[in-house]
Amino acid sequence: MKKVLCVLTLSLAPLLFSRRLDLNAVLGQGARGSSASIRQVRARNTLLTGQLTATLVLMATAGLFVTSFVRLTHVPLGFTPDALATARVPLAGTRHDGDAPLREFTARLLERARAMPGVSDAAIGSSLPLDSGPVVRLIASDRPRPAPDREPSAIVRAVDPGYFRTLGIRLVSGRTFTPTDL
């Protein structure tokens, strides 16, 4: 809201000041006793043409950006972001070191989250769907090693069995994770 008021103030201020000027007198003073040369007229017309061209290009570009943005807001994400709440819980210290304490902590956290009023499901993951995570390079041992910039890569993400169900991510093929996969 503050930005809108600032833009309106800065845009309308010159208009208010220009109303106080007698434009006929101001414009007439520059015309008395001097006439513009052909070179000045050509320069003025060239500058005006350049300004109009730049304005048209900028307006067309702005229109393309707005159209692209509107289209991007309607692209399916692959998950349902409606009515989701996320929380980032950093684990510091040594009391969560090791597999057993970490599993115990996440089980308690999930139990408490699911018990909260209004919560229909909860899940734990190392990152959100559109966040990046640690990237690993994939190299097949039975094939020649590709060039360093051509190695296939994947994002590593740790999730619990209910992650996809909770986020509304549709299973395309295969099966979902089960607690025995942990």
Side-chain angles (χ1 to χ4, degrees), residues 20-180:
R20 295 181 184 161
L21 296 175
D22 182 10
L23 292 179
N24 288 328
V26 172
L27 292 174
Q29 288 175 356
R32 283 191 196 128
S34 68
S35 62
S37 68
I38 293 175
R39 194 166 75 184
Q40 289 173 332
V41 170
R42 283 186 185 154
R44 190 179 311 130
N45 288 341
T46 303
L47 288 173
L48 181 61
T49 303
Q51 185 178 8
L52 288 173
T53 303
T55 301
L56 286 174
V57 168
L58 289 173
M59 292 297 289
T61 305
L64 288 173
F65 278 133
V66 168
T67 304
S68 297
F69 178 74
V70 168
R71 286 184 180 168
L72 280 174
T73 60
H74 292 89
V75 171
L77 299 173
F79 67 98
T80 312
D82 302 331
L84 288 179
T86 63
R88 189 174 304 266
V89 181
L91 300 177
T94 57
R95 68 178 205 217
H96 299 297
D97 285 349
D99 198 32
L102 191 57
R103 285 180 192 234
E104 195 176 303
F105 173 76
T106 57
R108 281 194 321 260
L109 185 63
L110 277 175
E111 184 181 316
R112 287 181 181 173
R114 289 180 179 137
M116 291 176 70
V119 173
S120 60
D121 205 353
I124 291 182
S126 59
S127 61
L128 296 173
L130 298 179
D131 287 348
S132 63
V135 176
V136 295
R137 304 279 177 218
L138 306 171
I139 302 168
S141 61
D142 60 339
R143 296 185 185 165
R145 187 179 186 114
D149 60 336
R150 295 271 188 181
E151 293 173 341
S153 61
I155 296 174
V156 177
R157 188 166 305 184
V159 298
D160 78 325
Y163 185 81
F164 298 113
R165 178 188 68 246
T166 303
L167 292 179
I169 298 173
R170 190 172 60 91
L171 180 66
V172 176
S173 66
R175 65 175 178 81
T176 59
F177 295 120
T178 63
T180 58

Side-chain angles (χ1 to χ4, degrees), residues 1-22:
M1 185 64 183
K2 290 180 182 179
K3 290 179 183 179
V4 172
L5 289 174
C6 181
V7 168
L8 286 174
T9 303
L10 292 175
S11 300
L12 296 177
L15 178 65
L16 295 174
F17 288 119
S18 68
R19 290 181 59 192
R20 295 181 184 161
L21 296 175
D22 182 10

